Amino acid sequence: MTATEVFESVSNGGVSDFSALVDVLNQHGLWCVVGGLAVNCYVEPVFTMDVDIVVASSELSAIQAELIARGFEVTEHAHSINAQMKGSNLRIQFTIDLRYQEFLADAKIKSVLGEDVPVASLENIVKGKVWAWNDPRRRLSKRKKDELDLIRIGEKYPELRELMPRVINEQLEQS
């Protein structure tokens, strides 16, 4: 059984949902994957049920409408628009933080859940993870996951440690 097949089973259709999402996004201009799935493209992967997406902000309303038409439940939150297919465990989160718009310019094509899709550059992923890790409004467990992602990146790409907070680098130096 492939990793994609396992994920499809464990997520109750997450790979199929991701494929449908990719079909929609590819019709609406620039977009890219950020967050944990993006990190997994550059370092040893860890399991996540979230897919974090940046789209051209001018396209978000049209994407939202198309996802609803395809059966996704869409909810709006303070910092994101979330979509999820009923019964699926895959949580799709569109960031509405305008700082992420710059990530669209230099995304790289990588394989994510069996699809070749644009993924934020590693430097931009670090930038986004630092923003998320520093956000006191995020749950501690989410910030700790961001910290772990930064540590995983710092271990494999020591040249990127200069982009990371001092406390992360201190942990890396101790290991």
Side-chain angles (χ1 to χ4, degrees):
M1 194 176 246
T2 68
T4 302
E5 291 169 333
V6 169
F7 189 85
E8 177 76 358
S9 174
V10 171
S11 64
N12 292 324
V15 173
S16 299
D17 297 346
F18 185 71
S19 181
L21 172 68
V22 169
D23 287 343
V24 170
L25 295 177
N26 283 339
Q27 298 173 36
H28 291 279
L30 294 176
W31 67 278
C32 69
V33 177
V34 296
L37 280 177
V39 173
N40 285 350
C41 291
Y42 294 96
V43 298
E44 189 70 28
V46 297
F47 191 79
T48 182
M49 295 300 283
D50 299 330
V51 58
D52 300 294
I53 304 285
V54 175
V55 299
S57 54
S58 62
E59 293 294 316
L60 192 51
S61 293
I63 291 167
Q64 192 174 350
E66 193 164 338
L67 288 173
I68 291 168
R70 289 183 180 225
F72 286 85
E73 294 179 22
V74 177
T75 56
E76 295 186 26
H77 301 272
H79 303 288
S80 66
I81 294 177
N82 298 352
Q84 191 167 8
M85 190 64 80
K86 185 174 179 155
S88 175
N89 293 324
L90 183 69
R91 296 175 300 270
I92 301 162
Q93 300 170 334
F94 295 94
T95 184
I96 55 176
D97 184 334
L98 294 177
R99 295 179 295 180
Y100 288 84
Q101 290 295 297
E102 69 183 55
F103 291 15
L104 298 170
D106 65 348
K108 318 280 189 240
I109 300 298
K110 302 276 187 184
S111 181
V112 176
L113 300 178
E115 299 276 344
D116 290 336
V117 299
V119 173
S121 70
L122 189 52
E123 292 81 3
N124 281 333
I125 291 169
V126 170
K127 192 183 300 183
K129 285 291 178 179
V130 169
W131 291 336
W133 177 78
N134 273 318
D135 185 348
R137 296 167 297 185
R138 287 173 56 87
R139 290 191 329 255
L140 177 61
S141 59
K142 290 281 194 182
R143 291 194 339 264
K144 286 296 185 180
K145 184 180 176 305
D146 296 322
E147 181 177 321
L148 175 60
D149 287 341
L150 287 167
I151 289 169
R152 292 168 53 223
I153 293 167
E155 286 177 340
K156 184 164 183 183
Y157 300 94
E159 68 275 13
L160 295 178
R161 291 179 184 181
E162 66 187 26
L163 303 174
M164 298 181 187
R166 182 181 48 78
V167 67
I168 302 291
N169 279 309
E170 287 172 355
Q171 291 178 67
L172 287 164
E173 290 167 7
Q174 291 173 2
S175 64

